[in-house]
Amino acid sequence: MARMGTGFFDAKGHYFKTPDEATISDLSAILGKIGDGESLAPGIAHTLLHRRSEIEQLFTDHDRMLAEYEPVGAASVTRLETRLS
């Protein structure tokens, strides 16, 4: 007898039973082949997905630091350019 079910698909259209499996497949594809022999990408993708909140916080902090970052000497170049104009 036919049954109805739910499936999830990665960007390549491959079927997976869970959203995690589909997302891990997409993350693995983005990472590409890592390491010799069998790729480490699926394991890394799994870790990325399950540590997502920590990783997102890391990038939030990184973006904040970039917004406040001024390379050494950049301020003096800006002042010099202002004086010359």
Side-chain angles (χ1 to χ4, degrees):
M1 174 183 228
R3 298 183 324 176
M4 188 168 82
T6 301
F8 303 90
F9 300 87
D10 66 6
K12 293 181 181 179
H14 297 121
Y15 168 82
F16 296 92
K17 292 181 181 179
T18 68
D20 280 6
E21 291 173 342
T23 301
I24 288 169
S25 176
D26 283 337
L27 283 170
S28 295
I30 289 169
L31 293 170
K33 184 168 178 356
I34 299 173
D36 296 330
E38 193 171 330
S39 178
L40 300 173
I44 294 168
H46 180 269
T47 300
L48 290 172
L49 182 63
H50 293 283
R51 310 267 325 250
R52 178 181 175 174
S53 62
E54 296 165 68
I55 293 166
E56 287 175 344
Q57 183 61 52
L58 179 79
F59 280 111
T60 298
D61 294 344
H62 178 75
D63 291 343
R64 181 186 45 75
M65 287 186 289
L66 281 176
E68 298 170 3
Y69 175 67
E70 187 174 316
V72 175
S76 59
V77 170
T78 303
R79 284 191 296 265
L80 178 61
E81 288 172 351
T82 304
R83 282 188 226 148
L84 294 175
S85 4

